[in-house]
Amino acid sequence: MTALHYHPVAELVRLVRSRELSAREVVAAHLARVAAVDARLGAFLHIDESGALRRADEIDRELASGRDPGPLCGVPIALKDILVTRDIPTTAGSRILAGWIPPYDATVVERLRAAGAVLLGKLNMDEFAMGSSTENSAFFPCRNPWDLERVPGGSSGGSAAAVAAGLCAASLGTDTGGSIRQPASLCGVVGLKPTYGRVSRWGVIAFASSLDQVGPLARSVADAALLFEVIAGFDPRDATSIDEPAPRLSGALTAGARGLTIGRPREYDLPGVDPEVTKAIDGALALLADHGARVRDISLPNVGHALPTYYLVAPAEASSNLARYDGVRYGRRPEGSSTSLLEMYRRTRGAGFGPEVKRRIMLGTFALRSGYYDAYYKKAQQVRALIAEDYRRAFQEVDLIASPTSPTPAFQIGEKASDPMAMYLADVFTLSANLAGLPGISVPAGLSSSGLPIGLQLVGRPLDEATLIRAAAAHERAAGPAPHPPELAAS
Amino acid sequence: MAALTREEVQEIALLARLHLEEDEVDRLCGELSAILEHMEALRAIQTDVEPMTHAVPMSLRLRADEVEPSLPVEEAVGQAPDRQDDLFQVPHIIKSSR
């Protein structure tokens, strides 16, 4: 029998529902695993042990009285610390929110709780989701369970590391430019970024509002699909929520790849891509072709402009969204800063934000300021329209678009920390799906010669997560279950 | 585009309501100039299209004008750095004449 901490979500639900195991046993086993491993990993910012055990006992009592707690009955889940959780501290990885205890739950948190999930705690991330390595956490960096000297990716690095190392059964992250898919790739797990508007963002701390989306990180495609079904669907409290019912995905999980056409953009043949990554993606697509998919070359002529476009759009929106952290309603206000209102704002924000957040606020304020708007922000929004049009045209010919998720496997801690542009390039393959609002998934596609995970990214049509899940599941079935990282507990 | 000067960085920081230390101003001069150089590539692109403001086409919905439960005042102001009764307190904005 495999250890409890690597059980699939559906298996945990079956064990708890049938009362072969209590929810308390499942949750306690995961909390013990966190206690044994996380000091070396740094995935958790907050562990809610008493809350988790209390909720597990409630679920056991519901089952004892003949009620069904829901489709995630007793499943231990931990959340990226950007999702607001009632009575559980939420920081977005920033000192400016340290100590804040939200008075309400995000919609996705409400939905997980209502489905019977048990929240173990909150996971490490780059401050305000700005970064690709989780080194920008204001508290401590998170490490990659495959190699503790390497980054787990980011910004949802704590989510990817915790799922890969079996500290929780699954997690939710957010993805503004690749922040679910890239860490999933670097940690060897599945990460799904749904279509923009598919999952409610009410109670999700905002980074770039025209790009942000919430999605699952999990150890299998089926687990990711199960979480997605629970969190997706219309929410009147989110003005950008799409009024469509959440899709049912069980059919997609077994439909197979036969009949699908997958495009490979020529423009993604870039010099900075690790040859081992290219080889792994070739192998993954050959496997899908063996199982009946058609793979062909396509062109996305403007996709090469995604990086500069994104780094104007996202910081501009962030500079506006982060204006709310002003030392008035929540968070910290430094001592002795209250000589004037302006000085109080400047001191609060100067002390509360880290270097990457300040960099992006500055960049965004530059791009939006009077006299520069047309040359920068408006221009970027126009190029964004061209990129979206490239995808629309490509999806008349293909069902999915494939690429590496990340140009390289996990890099060393500190390797890119002093060079913002090098770090930004880590997201070169993931940004354009956010700009175009499209769903994307990263699935494990083998290991490099030094034993580091490589991820295959698939991008689909708007609202067509089912086809992503279908191809991802077909690949997973053909390739076999993804391996777990080397054991961390002993020592 | 020429590199950003210290004065420009200070001016943007004021607009952004950010206090920066001297060494932060120096570092941001170099970093922002390098990043903006990469943005220059966009200028050469022909863009005779409407700017895309949202990832998917959408129009704003109106909700019914009905009273709904909202956060209790104590919860709303309870975690403010400074408060007076049910209000958020900030430094004086208008000088008192007394």
Side-chain angles (χ1 to χ4, degrees), chain A residues 326-406:
Chain A
D326 57 6
V328 175
R329 288 155 296 171
Y330 32 66
R332 299 270 168 85
R333 185 190 292 181
E335 292 295 319
S337 67
S338 294
T339 51
S340 73
L341 187 63
L342 177 63
E343 208 46 29
M344 190 278 281
Y345 289 153
R346 296 190 73 183
R347 295 281 169 181
T348 296
R349 293 160 62 75
F353 292 135
E356 181 62 26
V357 174
K358 286 181 184 169
R359 196 147 49 224
R360 297 209 198 180
I361 289 174
M362 291 288 289
L363 195 55
T365 305
F366 172 87
L368 288 177
R369 88 185 142 147
S370 171
Y372 291 73
Y373 177 86
D374 281 2
Y376 289 97
Y377 188 67
K378 186 179 168 199
K379 185 75 179 179
Q381 297 283 54
Q382 288 176 309
V383 178
R384 182 178 181 182
L386 297 178
I387 292 169
E389 176 60 19
D390 282 357
Y391 276 103
R392 200 192 58 76
R393 220 173 289 145
F395 281 125
Q396 292 173 351
E397 296 173 10
V398 298
D399 301 302
L400 294 166
I401 294 175
S403 71
T405 307
S406 161

Side-chain angles (χ1 to χ4, degrees), chain A residues 138-433:
Chain A
F139 304 106
F140 42 84
C142 178
R143 292 165 184 275
N144 191 314
W146 291 85
D147 178 347
L148 295 174
E149 297 307 310
R150 289 175 188 272
V151 304
S155 64
S156 311
S159 294
V163 169
L167 306 192
C168 55
S171 180
L172 296 184
T174 55
D175 190 315
T176 302
S179 281
I180 289 173
R181 290 160 287 155
Q182 185 258 12
S185 170
L186 269 47
C187 290
V189 299
V190 176
L192 171 66
K193 181 202 95 74
T195 309
Y196 181 82
R198 184 62 119 163
V199 177
S200 168
R201 299 180 306 166
W202 196 79
V204 181
I205 293 174
F207 164 12
S209 299
S210 78
L211 304 164
D212 296 341
Q213 185 55 192
V214 183
L217 295 98
R219 286 188 296 268
S220 72
V221 177
D223 287 0
L226 191 52
L227 257 74
F228 174 67
E229 285 182 342
V230 168
I231 61 169
F234 181 62
D235 177 13
R237 292 177 294 190
D238 175 356
T240 59
S241 176
I242 295 173
D243 195 357
E244 291 277 338
R248 309 319 304 173
L249 294 170
S250 51
L253 285 168
T254 52
R258 188 162 304 282
L260 291 178
T261 305
I262 302 173
R264 293 193 75 170
R266 289 184 199 95
E267 292 77 9
Y268 278 158
D269 200 0
L270 299 171
V273 181
D274 186 321
E276 287 203 76
V277 169
T278 306
K279 197 172 147 221
I281 300 312
D282 288 346
L285 291 177
L287 198 56
L288 282 167
D290 286 347
H291 287 76
R294 248 166 38 87
V295 180
R296 49 165 293 191
D297 285 348
I298 58 162
S299 178
L300 298 172
N302 291 289
V303 84
H305 307 310
L307 193 78
T309 303
Y310 176 86
Y311 279 98
L312 285 169
V313 172
E317 295 181 10
S319 72
S320 168
N321 272 325
L322 270 58
R324 74 191 65 180
Y325 305 102
D326 57 6
V328 175
R329 288 155 296 171
Y330 32 66
R332 299 270 168 85
R333 185 190 292 181
E335 292 295 319
S337 67
S338 294
T339 51
S340 73
L341 187 63
L342 177 63
E343 208 46 29
M344 190 278 281
Y345 289 153
R346 296 190 73 183
R347 295 281 169 181
T348 296
R349 293 160 62 75
F353 292 135
E356 181 62 26
V357 174
K358 286 181 184 169
R359 196 147 49 224
R360 297 209 198 180
I361 289 174
M362 291 288 289
L363 195 55
T365 305
F366 172 87
L368 288 177
R369 88 185 142 147
S370 171
Y372 291 73
Y373 177 86
D374 281 2
Y376 289 97
Y377 188 67
K378 186 179 168 199
K379 185 75 179 179
Q381 297 283 54
Q382 288 176 309
V383 178
R384 182 178 181 182
L386 297 178
I387 292 169
E389 176 60 19
D390 282 357
Y391 276 103
R392 200 192 58 76
R393 220 173 289 145
F395 281 125
Q396 292 173 351
E397 296 173 10
V398 298
D399 301 302
L400 294 166
I401 294 175
S403 71
T405 307
S406 161
T408 65
F411 45 91
Q412 299 273 348
I413 291 174
E415 187 180 329
K416 299 179 198 280
S418 58
D419 184 353
M421 274 317 297
M423 188 71 85
Y424 296 172
L425 280 165
D427 295 329
V428 68
F429 293 126
T430 49
L431 301 170
S432 53

Side-chain angles (χ1 to χ4, degrees), chain A residues 26-59:
Chain A
V26 170
V27 168
H30 282 81
L31 289 168
R33 172 91 179 150
V34 173
V37 168
D38 198 46
R40 304 177 68 202
L41 208 55
F44 275 78
L45 290 178
H46 181 85
I47 303 165
D48 185 22
E49 182 165 352
S50 59
L53 290 172
R54 200 167 51 239
R55 179 69 184 127
D57 288 344
E58 271 172 31
I59 286 167

Side-chain angles (χ1 to χ4, degrees), chain A residues 86 99-101 103 196 210 234-236 238-241 305 308-309 311-312 327-331 333 338 340-342 344-347 349-350 353 355 358-359 361-363 365-366 369 376 378-379 381-386 388 421 424 434-437, chain B residues 1 4 8-21 24 27-28 31-32 34-36 38-56 58-61 71 75-77 79-82 88-93:
Chain A
R86 185 178 177 91
W100 181 55
I101 301 176
Y196 181 82
S210 78
F234 181 62
D235 177 13
D238 175 356
T240 59
S241 176
H305 307 310
T309 303
Y311 279 98
L312 285 169
V328 175
R329 288 155 296 171
Y330 32 66
R333 185 190 292 181
S338 294
S340 73
L341 187 63
L342 177 63
M344 190 278 281
Y345 289 153
R346 296 190 73 183
R347 295 281 169 181
R349 293 160 62 75
F353 292 135
K358 286 181 184 169
R359 196 147 49 224
I361 289 174
M362 291 288 289
L363 195 55
T365 305
F366 172 87
R369 88 185 142 147
Y376 289 97
K378 186 179 168 199
K379 185 75 179 179
Q381 297 283 54
Q382 288 176 309
V383 178
R384 182 178 181 182
L386 297 178
M421 274 317 297
Y424 296 172
N434 299 79
L435 289 170
Chain B
M1 132 131 223
L4 286 178
E8 283 173 298
V9 168
Q10 297 276 23
E11 186 195 323
I12 299 163
L14 178 62
L15 290 172
R17 302 291 185 258
L18 272 180
H19 172 83
L20 298 177
E21 301 295 339
E24 291 181 296
R27 209 176 50 239
L28 281 164
E31 286 172 353
L32 293 179
I35 294 167
L36 288 170
H38 285 267
M39 311 302 178
E40 292 304 304
L42 297 184
R43 283 187 196 261
I45 304 167
Q46 243 354 100
T47 48
D48 307 322
V49 291
E50 282 298 303
M52 179 171 167
T53 52
H54 263 91
V56 290
M58 54 175 65
S59 52
L60 289 176
R61 290 185 301 274
L71 220 51
E75 290 192 14
V77 299
Q79 295 188 61
D82 197 6
F88 298 111
Q89 180 146 310
V90 296
H92 282 280
I93 300 170

